[in-house]
Amino acid sequence: MDVLIPIDGTDASKRALDFAIEMVVGMGGRLHVVHYTNNQTDATAAILDDARGRLEAGNISGEPELSTITVDVWTADRVGEEILDTVERGGFDHVVMGHHEDGIVERTVFGSAAETVLRAEAVPVTIVP
């Protein structure tokens, strides 16, 4: 099983990464962790460092992939589309994503990357709250 896990540094994203690590350790497969951003900063480095620490602690066999993808237009729908592009290019079988509860205004205006990926029905998606 080849699993893609988008991360953004939120608690939901961290829980999703921990879940994906357990899933890959238990079922075997490849794990690819991607941080999507519109601007690489010190926060980007901190997010990737946290992910590296979680991956090392998870005792994943093989070498999990960890990368950053820059998104020019920063909306949740656009990030969702980038995730779907990554799924297609990488041949992933499954996506594990964190999702935090937003209010109705935030969801209406900004959308949700998780919803975009889930509604595309391209691959199975596990949403970790």
Side-chain angles (χ1 to χ4, degrees), residues 92-126:
F92 294 98
D93 306 303
H94 199 99
V95 176
V96 176
M97 300 180 70
H99 186 273
H100 49 86
E101 292 296 320
D102 290 327
I104 189 71
V105 173
E106 290 86 357
R107 289 183 68 193
T108 301
V109 174
F110 298 113
S112 165
E115 284 183 67
T116 299
V117 174
L118 188 61
R119 289 178 195 249
E121 299 180 7
V123 294
V125 179
T126 301

mmCIF file of all heavy atoms in Angstrom, residues 92-126:
data_model
loop_
_atom_site.group_PDB
_atom_site.id
_atom_site.type_symbol
_atom_site.label_atom_id
_atom_site.label_comp_id
_atom_site.label_asym_id
_atom_site.label_seq_id
_atom_site.Cartn_x
_atom_site.Cartn_y
_atom_site.Cartn_z
ATOM 1 N N PHE A 92 -0.367 6.706 -5.739
ATOM 2 C CA PHE A 92 -0.730 6.353 -4.366
ATOM 3 C C PHE A 92 -2.065 5.620 -4.323
ATOM 4 O O PHE A 92 -2.955 5.880 -5.115
ATOM 5 C CB PHE A 92 -0.761 7.602 -3.483
ATOM 6 C CG PHE A 92 0.591 8.215 -3.322
ATOM 7 C CD1 PHE A 92 0.984 9.292 -4.099
ATOM 8 C CD2 PHE A 92 1.494 7.676 -2.427
ATOM 9 C CE1 PHE A 92 2.246 9.835 -3.978
ATOM 10 C CE2 PHE A 92 2.770 8.212 -2.298
ATOM 11 C CZ PHE A 92 3.143 9.287 -3.078
ATOM 12 N N ASP A 93 -2.177 4.687 -3.357
ATOM 13 C CA ASP A 93 -3.388 3.887 -3.175
ATOM 14 C C ASP A 93 -4.327 4.481 -2.145
ATOM 15 O O ASP A 93 -5.503 4.116 -2.096
ATOM 16 C CB ASP A 93 -3.031 2.480 -2.660
ATOM 17 C CG ASP A 93 -2.028 1.784 -3.519
ATOM 18 O OD1 ASP A 93 -2.278 1.631 -4.710
ATOM 19 O OD2 ASP A 93 -0.968 1.391 -2.975
ATOM 20 N N HIS A 94 -3.802 5.352 -1.292
ATOM 21 C CA HIS A 94 -4.576 5.814 -0.140
ATOM 22 C C HIS A 94 -4.048 7.174 0.302
ATOM 23 O O HIS A 94 -2.855 7.443 0.187
ATOM 24 C CB HIS A 94 -4.426 4.806 1.009
ATOM 25 C CG HIS A 94 -5.463 4.900 2.054
ATOM 26 N ND1 HIS A 94 -6.551 4.062 2.098
ATOM 27 C CD2 HIS A 94 -5.598 5.744 3.110
ATOM 28 C CE1 HIS A 94 -7.309 4.392 3.149
ATOM 29 N NE2 HIS A 94 -6.747 5.403 3.767
ATOM 30 N N VAL A 95 -4.952 8.012 0.795
ATOM 31 C CA VAL A 95 -4.581 9.303 1.378
ATOM 32 C C VAL A 95 -5.081 9.327 2.810
ATOM 33 O O VAL A 95 -6.226 8.944 3.076
ATOM 34 C CB VAL A 95 -5.179 10.488 0.586
ATOM 35 C CG1 VAL A 95 -4.860 11.814 1.259
ATOM 36 C CG2 VAL A 95 -4.689 10.481 -0.857
ATOM 37 N N VAL A 96 -4.225 9.770 3.722
ATOM 38 C CA VAL A 96 -4.623 9.987 5.114
ATOM 39 C C VAL A 96 -4.448 11.471 5.383
ATOM 40 O O VAL A 96 -3.376 12.022 5.157
ATOM 41 C CB VAL A 96 -3.777 9.161 6.099
ATOM 42 C CG1 VAL A 96 -4.155 9.493 7.541
ATOM 43 C CG2 VAL A 96 -3.934 7.674 5.826
ATOM 44 N N MET A 97 -5.517 12.129 5.833
ATOM 45 C CA MET A 97 -5.482 13.575 6.053
ATOM 46 C C MET A 97 -6.096 13.931 7.397
ATOM 47 O O MET A 97 -7.054 13.304 7.820
ATOM 48 C CB MET A 97 -6.297 14.316 4.981
ATOM 49 C CG MET A 97 -5.825 14.115 3.580
ATOM 50 S SD MET A 97 -6.852 15.013 2.397
ATOM 51 C CE MET A 97 -6.392 16.701 2.777
ATOM 52 N N GLY A 98 -5.558 14.966 7.997
ATOM 53 C CA GLY A 98 -6.190 15.543 9.173
ATOM 54 C C GLY A 98 -7.225 16.559 8.725
ATOM 55 O O GLY A 98 -7.139 17.121 7.629
ATOM 56 N N HIS A 99 -8.213 16.776 9.563
ATOM 57 C CA HIS A 99 -9.230 17.779 9.271
ATOM 58 C C HIS A 99 -9.677 18.379 10.587
ATOM 59 O O HIS A 99 -9.995 17.671 11.521
ATOM 60 C CB HIS A 99 -10.418 17.149 8.555
ATOM 61 C CG HIS A 99 -11.430 18.152 8.101
ATOM 62 N ND1 HIS A 99 -12.451 18.584 8.898
ATOM 63 C CD2 HIS A 99 -11.554 18.816 6.932
ATOM 64 C CE1 HIS A 99 -13.178 19.476 8.236
ATOM 65 N NE2 HIS A 99 -12.654 19.631 7.050
ATOM 66 N N HIS A 100 -9.667 19.693 10.630
ATOM 67 C CA HIS A 100 -10.136 20.368 11.836
ATOM 68 C C HIS A 100 -11.480 20.999 11.539
ATOM 69 O O HIS A 100 -11.794 21.347 10.407
ATOM 70 C CB HIS A 100 -9.125 21.418 12.317
ATOM 71 C CG HIS A 100 -8.660 22.326 11.225
ATOM 72 N ND1 HIS A 100 -9.327 23.460 10.869
ATOM 73 C CD2 HIS A 100 -7.597 22.223 10.394
ATOM 74 C CE1 HIS A 100 -8.689 24.030 9.867
ATOM 75 N NE2 HIS A 100 -7.643 23.306 9.557
ATOM 76 N N GLU A 101 -12.279 21.099 12.544
ATOM 77 C CA GLU A 101 -13.613 21.671 12.391
ATOM 78 C C GLU A 101 -13.518 23.172 12.185
ATOM 79 O O GLU A 101 -12.942 23.879 12.993
ATOM 80 C CB GLU A 101 -14.469 21.371 13.628
ATOM 81 C CG GLU A 101 -14.810 19.910 13.763
ATOM 82 C CD GLU A 101 -15.664 19.391 12.628
ATOM 83 O OE1 GLU A 101 -16.582 20.084 12.174
ATOM 84 O OE2 GLU A 101 -15.397 18.263 12.180
ATOM 85 N N ASP A 102 -14.056 23.641 11.093
ATOM 86 C CA ASP A 102 -14.149 25.067 10.827
ATOM 87 C C ASP A 102 -15.606 25.483 10.984
ATOM 88 O O ASP A 102 -16.512 24.667 10.877
ATOM 89 C CB ASP A 102 -13.721 25.382 9.385
ATOM 90 C CG ASP A 102 -12.229 25.187 9.175
ATOM 91 O OD1 ASP A 102 -11.473 25.425 10.131
ATOM 92 O OD2 ASP A 102 -11.840 24.817 8.062
ATOM 93 N N GLY A 103 -15.796 26.759 11.183
ATOM 94 C CA GLY A 103 -17.149 27.282 11.217
ATOM 95 C C GLY A 103 -17.732 27.336 9.820
ATOM 96 O O GLY A 103 -17.047 27.162 8.822
ATOM 97 N N ILE A 104 -19.012 27.573 9.723
ATOM 98 C CA ILE A 104 -19.705 27.602 8.442
ATOM 99 C C ILE A 104 -19.148 28.683 7.524
ATOM 100 O O ILE A 104 -19.026 28.488 6.320
ATOM 101 C CB ILE A 104 -21.240 27.749 8.626
ATOM 102 C CG1 ILE A 104 -21.970 27.549 7.298
ATOM 103 C CG2 ILE A 104 -21.586 29.105 9.215
ATOM 104 C CD1 ILE A 104 -21.957 26.140 6.813
ATOM 105 N N VAL A 105 -18.763 29.824 8.072
ATOM 106 C CA VAL A 105 -18.220 30.908 7.246
ATOM 107 C C VAL A 105 -16.890 30.485 6.633
ATOM 108 O O VAL A 105 -16.661 30.634 5.427
ATOM 109 C CB VAL A 105 -18.059 32.205 8.067
ATOM 110 C CG1 VAL A 105 -17.337 33.265 7.257
ATOM 111 C CG2 VAL A 105 -19.418 32.705 8.532
ATOM 112 N N GLU A 106 -15.986 29.929 7.444
ATOM 113 C CA GLU A 106 -14.691 29.501 6.937
ATOM 114 C C GLU A 106 -14.850 28.436 5.862
ATOM 115 O O GLU A 106 -14.182 28.468 4.829
ATOM 116 C CB GLU A 106 -13.805 28.963 8.071
ATOM 117 C CG GLU A 106 -13.327 30.019 9.040
ATOM 118 C CD GLU A 106 -14.320 30.287 10.160
ATOM 119 O OE1 GLU A 106 -15.424 29.692 10.152
ATOM 120 O OE2 GLU A 106 -13.995 31.081 11.043
ATOM 121 N N ARG A 107 -15.736 27.477 6.072
ATOM 122 C CA ARG A 107 -15.930 26.404 5.097
ATOM 123 C C ARG A 107 -16.557 26.936 3.822
ATOM 124 O O ARG A 107 -16.227 26.486 2.729
ATOM 125 C CB ARG A 107 -16.771 25.288 5.694
ATOM 126 C CG ARG A 107 -15.979 24.530 6.753
ATOM 127 C CD ARG A 107 -16.722 23.382 7.314
ATOM 128 N NE ARG A 107 -16.876 22.373 6.283
ATOM 129 C CZ ARG A 107 -17.698 21.353 6.403
ATOM 130 N NH1 ARG A 107 -18.435 21.217 7.465
ATOM 131 N NH2 ARG A 107 -17.798 20.464 5.449
ATOM 132 N N THR A 108 -17.474 27.892 3.949
ATOM 133 C CA THR A 108 -18.119 28.452 2.768
ATOM 134 C C THR A 108 -17.133 29.278 1.949
ATOM 135 O O THR A 108 -17.068 29.169 0.728
ATOM 136 C CB THR A 108 -19.320 29.331 3.173
ATOM 137 O OG1 THR A 108 -20.236 28.505 3.908
ATOM 138 C CG2 THR A 108 -20.006 29.906 1.965
ATOM 139 N N VAL A 109 -16.341 30.085 2.615
ATOM 140 C CA VAL A 109 -15.414 30.977 1.913
ATOM 141 C C VAL A 109 -14.168 30.232 1.447
ATOM 142 O O VAL A 109 -13.734 30.373 0.301
ATOM 143 C CB VAL A 109 -15.021 32.163 2.820
ATOM 144 C CG1 VAL A 109 -13.945 33.012 2.162
ATOM 145 C CG2 VAL A 109 -16.245 33.004 3.141
ATOM 146 N N PHE A 110 -13.581 29.438 2.324
ATOM 147 C CA PHE A 110 -12.295 28.833 2.023
ATOM 148 C C PHE A 110 -12.376 27.388 1.548
ATOM 149 O O PHE A 110 -11.438 26.884 0.968
ATOM 150 C CB PHE A 110 -11.378 28.889 3.258
ATOM 151 C CG PHE A 110 -11.085 30.295 3.680
ATOM 152 C CD1 PHE A 110 -11.567 30.791 4.871
ATOM 153 C CD2 PHE A 110 -10.337 31.130 2.874
ATOM 154 C CE1 PHE A 110 -11.303 32.091 5.262
ATOM 155 C CE2 PHE A 110 -10.068 32.428 3.253
ATOM 156 C CZ PHE A 110 -10.550 32.913 4.451
ATOM 157 N N GLY A 111 -13.472 26.687 1.806
ATOM 158 C CA GLY A 111 -13.563 25.289 1.428
ATOM 159 C C GLY A 111 -12.703 24.423 2.318
ATOM 160 O O GLY A 111 -12.270 24.831 3.376
ATOM 161 N N SER A 112 -12.451 23.221 1.879
ATOM 162 C CA SER A 112 -11.656 22.282 2.655
ATOM 163 C C SER A 112 -10.878 21.390 1.706
ATOM 164 O O SER A 112 -11.458 20.768 0.813
ATOM 165 C CB SER A 112 -12.572 21.438 3.533
ATOM 166 O OG SER A 112 -11.891 20.312 4.023
ATOM 167 N N ALA A 113 -9.570 21.330 1.895
ATOM 168 C CA ALA A 113 -8.737 20.455 1.066
ATOM 169 C C ALA A 113 -9.179 19.004 1.238
ATOM 170 O O ALA A 113 -9.259 18.249 0.264
ATOM 171 C CB ALA A 113 -7.276 20.618 1.433
ATOM 172 N N ALA A 114 -9.503 18.617 2.479
ATOM 173 C CA ALA A 114 -9.940 17.248 2.735
ATOM 174 C C ALA A 114 -11.221 16.930 1.972
ATOM 175 O O ALA A 114 -11.357 15.853 1.383
ATOM 176 C CB ALA A 114 -10.133 17.023 4.235
ATOM 177 N N GLU A 115 -12.162 17.869 1.972
ATOM 178 C CA GLU A 115 -13.404 17.644 1.231
ATOM 179 C C GLU A 115 -13.154 17.526 -0.261
ATOM 180 O O GLU A 115 -13.761 16.691 -0.932
ATOM 181 C CB GLU A 115 -14.388 18.783 1.498
ATOM 182 C CG GLU A 115 -15.046 18.703 2.853
ATOM 183 C CD GLU A 115 -16.063 19.805 3.040
ATOM 184 O OE1 GLU A 115 -17.088 19.787 2.342
ATOM 185 O OE2 GLU A 115 -15.814 20.680 3.891
ATOM 186 N N THR A 116 -12.256 18.342 -0.794
ATOM 187 C CA THR A 116 -11.934 18.283 -2.219
ATOM 188 C C THR A 116 -11.383 16.908 -2.583
ATOM 189 O O THR A 116 -11.806 16.305 -3.575
ATOM 190 C CB THR A 116 -10.908 19.380 -2.592
ATOM 191 O OG1 THR A 116 -11.482 20.655 -2.307
ATOM 192 C CG2 THR A 116 -10.524 19.309 -4.060
ATOM 193 N N VAL A 117 -10.466 16.396 -1.765
ATOM 194 C CA VAL A 117 -9.864 15.091 -2.035
ATOM 195 C C VAL A 117 -10.897 13.985 -1.868
ATOM 196 O O VAL A 117 -10.998 13.084 -2.701
ATOM 197 C CB VAL A 117 -8.640 14.859 -1.121
ATOM 198 C CG1 VAL A 117 -8.090 13.449 -1.277
ATOM 199 C CG2 VAL A 117 -7.565 15.897 -1.422
ATOM 200 N N LEU A 118 -11.678 14.063 -0.823
ATOM 201 C CA LEU A 118 -12.686 13.042 -0.550
ATOM 202 C C LEU A 118 -13.735 12.979 -1.657
ATOM 203 O O LEU A 118 -14.079 11.905 -2.152
ATOM 204 C CB LEU A 118 -13.353 13.326 0.801
ATOM 205 C CG LEU A 118 -14.298 12.280 1.349
ATOM 206 C CD1 LEU A 118 -13.570 10.972 1.579
ATOM 207 C CD2 LEU A 118 -14.914 12.776 2.640
ATOM 208 N N ARG A 119 -14.223 14.118 -2.087
ATOM 209 C CA ARG A 119 -15.280 14.158 -3.111
ATOM 210 C C ARG A 119 -14.789 13.711 -4.488
ATOM 211 O O ARG A 119 -15.589 13.277 -5.312
ATOM 212 C CB ARG A 119 -15.872 15.554 -3.199
ATOM 213 C CG ARG A 119 -16.708 15.901 -1.989
ATOM 214 C CD ARG A 119 -17.244 17.313 -2.099
ATOM 215 N NE ARG A 119 -17.727 17.766 -0.828
ATOM 216 C CZ ARG A 119 -19.003 17.981 -0.562
ATOM 217 N NH1 ARG A 119 -19.904 17.787 -1.492
ATOM 218 N NH2 ARG A 119 -19.358 18.400 0.631
ATOM 219 N N ALA A 120 -13.488 13.805 -4.738
ATOM 220 C CA ALA A 120 -12.950 13.393 -6.047
ATOM 221 C C ALA A 120 -13.043 11.878 -6.233
ATOM 222 O O ALA A 120 -13.078 11.397 -7.357
ATOM 223 C CB ALA A 120 -11.506 13.852 -6.184
ATOM 224 N N GLU A 121 -13.086 11.138 -5.140
ATOM 225 C CA GLU A 121 -13.185 9.689 -5.172
ATOM 226 C C GLU A 121 -12.103 9.047 -6.021
ATOM 227 O O GLU A 121 -12.314 8.021 -6.673
ATOM 228 C CB GLU A 121 -14.577 9.250 -5.652
ATOM 229 C CG GLU A 121 -15.693 9.729 -4.756
ATOM 230 C CD GLU A 121 -17.077 9.307 -5.227
ATOM 231 O OE1 GLU A 121 -17.186 8.522 -6.195
ATOM 232 O OE2 GLU A 121 -18.047 9.764 -4.612
ATOM 233 N N ALA A 122 -10.893 9.645 -6.020
ATOM 234 C CA ALA A 122 -9.793 9.105 -6.815
ATOM 235 C C ALA A 122 -9.170 7.882 -6.167
ATOM 236 O O ALA A 122 -8.773 6.932 -6.849
ATOM 237 C CB ALA A 122 -8.732 10.191 -7.019
ATOM 238 N N VAL A 123 -9.053 7.912 -4.840
ATOM 239 C CA VAL A 123 -8.501 6.803 -4.052
ATOM 240 C C VAL A 123 -9.208 6.813 -2.703
ATOM 241 O O VAL A 123 -9.837 7.816 -2.337
ATOM 242 C CB VAL A 123 -6.975 6.951 -3.822
ATOM 243 C CG1 VAL A 123 -6.203 6.835 -5.114
ATOM 244 C CG2 VAL A 123 -6.643 8.224 -3.097
ATOM 245 N N PRO A 124 -9.110 5.729 -1.949
ATOM 246 C CA PRO A 124 -9.658 5.755 -0.596
ATOM 247 C C PRO A 124 -8.965 6.842 0.235
ATOM 248 O O PRO A 124 -7.763 7.063 0.103
ATOM 249 C CB PRO A 124 -9.357 4.372 -0.045
ATOM 250 C CG PRO A 124 -9.199 3.503 -1.249
ATOM 251 C CD PRO A 124 -8.588 4.398 -2.301
ATOM 252 N N VAL A 125 -9.754 7.501 1.082
ATOM 253 C CA VAL A 125 -9.248 8.596 1.922
ATOM 254 C C VAL A 125 -9.677 8.325 3.355
ATOM 255 O O VAL A 125 -10.835 8.030 3.618
ATOM 256 C CB VAL A 125 -9.800 9.953 1.463
ATOM 257 C CG1 VAL A 125 -9.292 11.077 2.361
ATOM 258 C CG2 VAL A 125 -9.463 10.230 0.007
ATOM 259 N N THR A 126 -8.726 8.424 4.266
ATOM 260 C CA THR A 126 -9.033 8.365 5.695
ATOM 261 C C THR A 126 -8.871 9.763 6.249
ATOM 262 O O THR A 126 -7.801 10.361 6.118
ATOM 263 C CB THR A 126 -8.089 7.391 6.433
ATOM 264 O OG1 THR A 126 -8.225 6.085 5.863
ATOM 265 C CG2 THR A 126 -8.395 7.354 7.911
#
